Amino acid sequence: MHSSKFPRRKVVPMNDVDNSAAKLEQLLIFSAICNSEDLGPFIRKAFISGKPETLLHHLRHFARTKESEIEEVCKEHYQDFIIAVDDLRSLLSDVDYIKYSLSDSNSKFQSVALPLLSSLDSFVETRNVSKNLNLAIESVKTCVQLTEVCSRANRHLLSDNYYMALKCVDTLEKEYLNKTPSLTLKRMLQKKIPEIRLHIERKVNKEFGDWLVDIRAVSRNLGQLAIGQALAARQREEDLRIKQRQAEEQSRLSLRDCIYALEEEDDDDDNEIGAGGGIGEDGYGNNGGSGGGILGFDLTPLYRAYHINQSLGLEDGFKKYYFENRKLQLTSDFQVSSMTPFLESHQSFFAQIAGFFVVEDRVLRTGGGLISKVEVDNLWEIAVSKMCAVLEDQFSGMQAANHLLLIKDYVSLLGLTLRRFGYPTDALLDVLNKHRDKYHELLLSDCQIHIAEALAADKFEQMLMKKEYEYSMNVLSFQIQTTDIVPAFPYLAPFSSTVPECCRIVRSFIEDSVSFMSYGGQLEFYEVVKKYLDRLLNEDLDEALLKLINTSVHGVNQAMQVAANMAVLEHACDFFFCHAAKLSGVPLRMVERSRKQFPLRKARDAVEEMLSGLLKAKVDGFMTLIENINWMADDPSQRGNEYMNEVIMYLEILVSTAQQILPAQVLKRVLQRVLSHISEKIVGTLASDSVKKFTVNAITVIDMDIHLLESFVESQAPLFPDEDVDELKTALAESRQLVNLLLSNHPENFLNPVIRDRSYNTLDSNKVVTISEKLRDSSDGLFGNFSGHGAKQNPKKKLLDAMIKRLKDAN
């Protein structure tokens, strides 16, 4: 194929009138087209300037300039283009063949694959059905499992097994809620799960509230039982100490043949309060209940509520709720009713508090952190401060010692009970010790009243005991028996009924004092008890007896009975101090070492002085007959003076009567005073102005009188030991020495200090001078001046006158 030649177009030259701006614009358009740039700005400019023809002209001109280039390119590739067209034609025939082959193959493939496709469609459909069935089965299984869990949760709820119900609810929420195929079930679970949890929370909190009410009622009985256990333990300890003291005393007394053994009982029930703990089958602490020992109490509702709240994530809130409620309960327990006397309500008051802290101790030990040690200590501090305030207030208004003692005993038992659980009770004991003096003052005041009543009822008669139990109650119980042999009954005691009454009062005082001081935190309290016992005996009983002696004793028999009572009370005082030491746990040897004088010595001395005074007055009645003595007798009488016979008869009757009730030592002291008075009466008569002068014969009769008194004293030897008989004789020493001096052949020996100190040590020189000057010879009688005018002076009288002269000169 020949290529045609196209004539090249000549460009008409533009007129010279075109300005250079048109050429520049043309060049810019050509450049933009060659560089494939946007022609938009040129177009907009053409239309804005209102000359689109110019732009068209430039574009046409550019097209014409490119036609020649295209023509040249076509000429250069024309042969290749022809070849390519031939190839395309041959390729078109091949494509037709292939198209026919593909159509034929497609027909064959479709005829073969059509049954397979039908089977494949059936398989796919069947597989989809199978998947749907499997999914449905799995969904049904899930729903069945969910239903079983829901049913199990309902059963647990019906049986109040809330923990297992919560476990089921947690399982539903974690394992079934998100994968439940049923939208209805899912909505039901979303609604019911919070409701069930709220229901369980309300139920356990209601049970806990009921438990709070019940435990408050149980706490009082619990506290009473705990205090009762403490009392039993204290009694066992006291019995053991008594056995130990008895063993020590036996060992001290070297009773080798006495075999003894101290048996210490096992304190098995000390921890009975804490028995019965443990974890039950339901997972809660079964503290108390039927297996909780004597003081068992059920904490299951508390622990279940605590466990459920832990499971609900409300542990801290429940702990706070529990502590606040228990604190409120404790505060309400401190309310003391103004309508009921504290003496009647103090046991329930303190038992309630004791039971409260017994429960808290158990909760602290077995509650798994429900309450802390710090919180329990805070509650105890509140309780102690309140109890101390209540005790201070109540003690300040009490005016009866037995009321103080009753409350003190119960408070000490409360302290002992709670110390066993680890609670400090020193503050309570300090309050008790603070009121020790007030208690003893009230106790002394009560004893003063009882002593006054006992003494006022005294009839000053010996006490008659008809039965052995009366003897044991009134004599043996105070160790005032004079012999270990039980007397025959009826028995007439040497003392009156006042003695055992006073002994009972003092013994009761000792026991009450020891009871108040015991278990008060002070181990050594015997000195305190002894101080108040001394005060009771020295001030109260002694003063009361002294008042009785001064106001109510009006005769010898009454004075003698009181003196006999004082002698018995002297023995009873030994028993009092030994009894106080025994109750205080002090060895008796310590009491024996510290024993002082008889505390009732004022009353004893007063009654003995009164008895002696009454007897002296009685003797003085007989001694008035001394005025009938013939002081200037010419011949001595062979029978003594009449008054002395009367005195001796009275003394013999006195001794025979007094020895029935008075101890020998008391009788000796009284008799010694009477004899001394008789001696003084004789000497006083000789020295008195009523006797102007006397003879040796009169003195000889006086000597016989004194011999009668000495014989009377010697006749009392069966009653008194020899030293007491000699001591009784010394009561007559003044009259005996005076008579011996007047009858002596050597009266000048009185001037010898050695002899005077040995034989005349009781004589007063002035009295000797006065009495000696009255001595006359027999010749100095009524008619002696006429008959013996020229008689010689008696040498004895001469020596006596010389002695008188020397004594006067010495004075």
Side-chain angles (χ1 to χ4, degrees), residues 71 99-100 325 339 348 487 497 640 646 660 742:
E71 185 178 356
K99 178 180 179 182
Y100 174 76
N325 275 273
M339 305 299 294
S348 60
S497 60
E646 297 289 339
Q660 302 298 322
L742 294 176

Side-chain angles (χ1 to χ4, degrees), residues 21-291:
K23 291 180 180 181
L24 178 61
E25 182 178 0
Q26 183 179 2
L27 290 173
L28 293 174
I29 292 172
F30 288 176
S31 175
I33 294 172
C34 292
N35 294 329
S36 300
E37 295 178 357
D38 185 16
L39 296 179
F42 297 101
I43 296 173
R44 283 193 297 272
K45 181 179 179 183
F47 280 96
I48 291 172
S49 62
K51 296 179 178 182
E53 296 82 4
T54 305
L55 177 63
L56 292 174
H57 174 74
H58 293 322
L59 293 174
R60 290 189 186 104
H61 180 68
F62 180 75
R64 285 195 298 272
T65 59
K66 294 298 181 179
E67 288 179 357
S68 59
E69 295 179 5
I70 295 170
E71 185 178 356
E72 290 178 359
V73 171
C74 289
K75 287 179 178 180
E76 291 178 358
H77 299 285
Y78 176 76
Q79 189 65 38
D80 295 333
F81 178 75
I82 294 299
I83 295 171
V85 170
D86 292 339
D87 293 337
L88 288 174
R89 286 180 178 177
S90 63
L91 179 62
L92 180 62
S93 61
D94 294 336
V95 168
D96 290 337
Y97 175 77
I98 293 171
K99 178 180 179 182
Y100 174 76
S101 299
L102 288 173
S103 177
D104 183 60
S105 299
N106 180 48
S107 298
K108 293 179 180 179
F109 178 76
Q110 287 183 356
S111 63
V112 174
L114 186 61
L116 295 176
L117 290 174
S118 178
S119 299
L120 179 62
D121 291 339
S122 299
F123 170 74
V124 170
E125 182 179 358
T126 303
R127 187 177 66 179
N128 291 334
V129 171
S130 176
K131 288 181 179 181
N132 290 336
L133 289 175
N134 290 334
L135 181 61
I137 291 172
E138 291 297 328
S139 299
V140 170
K141 287 182 180 180
T142 302
C143 291
V144 170
Q145 293 173 356
L146 185 148
T147 305
E148 290 178 352
V149 175
C150 291
S151 177
R152 193 160 62 246
N154 286 332
R155 288 198 303 271
H156 290 315
L157 286 173
L158 291 175
S159 62
D160 294 336
N161 192 356
Y162 299 129
Y163 176 71
M164 297 306 298
L166 279 179
K167 285 290 187 182
C168 294
V169 169
D170 291 341
T171 301
L172 289 173
E173 185 178 29
K174 293 177 181 178
E175 298 182 9
Y176 295 102
L177 182 60
N178 292 328
K179 61 181 182 181
T180 300
S182 173
L183 183 61
T184 302
L185 288 177
K186 186 173 183 179
R187 289 175 179 175
M188 184 270 293
L189 291 178
Q190 290 174 341
K191 178 181 179 181
K192 292 298 181 181
I193 286 175
E195 292 180 358
I196 292 173
R197 285 176 174 165
L198 183 61
H199 170 73
I200 292 174
E201 180 183 357
R202 288 175 178 174
K203 289 288 288 184
V204 296
N205 287 340
K206 182 179 182 301
E207 290 182 0
F208 171 64
D210 295 338
W211 178 85
L212 284 175
V213 176
D214 295 338
I215 200 64
R216 187 175 184 186
V218 169
S219 293
R220 181 176 302 172
N221 296 331
L222 185 64
Q224 290 174 346
L225 289 174
I227 292 174
Q229 284 188 357
L231 178 61
R234 174 193 286 184
Q235 188 60 47
R236 287 194 300 272
E237 293 175 1
E238 183 63 27
D239 293 341
L240 183 62
R241 282 197 294 269
I242 291 174
K243 292 179 181 179
Q244 185 175 3
R245 285 197 296 268
Q246 291 174 349
E248 291 176 353
E249 290 301 320
Q250 290 173 353
S251 176
R252 185 175 69 89
L253 297 175
S254 301
L255 298 180
R256 304 300 183 187
D257 57 341
C258 181
I259 301 176
Y260 58 88
L262 296 179
E263 297 179 359
E264 183 174 1
E265 298 180 0
D266 294 333
D267 197 6
D268 294 333
D269 60 341
D270 277 353
N271 294 320
E272 286 180 351
I273 298 174
I279 303 299
E281 295 179 357
D282 57 355
Y284 301 108
N286 187 20
N287 295 74
S290 60

Side-chain angles (χ1 to χ4, degrees), residues 12 61 85 106 152 170 222 241 327 345 426 564 568 585 611-612 615 620 634 637 677 727 780 798:
V12 182
H61 180 68
V85 170
N106 180 48
R152 193 160 62 246
D170 291 341
L222 185 64
R241 282 197 294 269
K327 185 177 180 181
S345 62
D426 294 340
V568 177
L611 177 58
S612 300
L615 294 176
D620 287 344
D634 294 330
S637 173
H677 177 70
E727 192 172 348
D780 292 338
K798 184 178 180 181

Side-chain angles (χ1 to χ4, degrees), residues 447 451 478 500-512 533 536-537 541 569 572-573 575-577 579:
C447 289
I451 289 172
F478 305 114
E501 287 298 329
C502 290
C503 289
R504 271 187 280 272
I505 293 170
V506 177
R507 183 179 63 183
S508 175
F509 173 86
I510 295 170
E511 292 171 352
D512 289 344
L533 177 59
L536 173 66
L537 296 176
L541 182 56
L569 287 173
C573 286
F575 163 76
F576 295 149
F577 288 101
H579 188 57

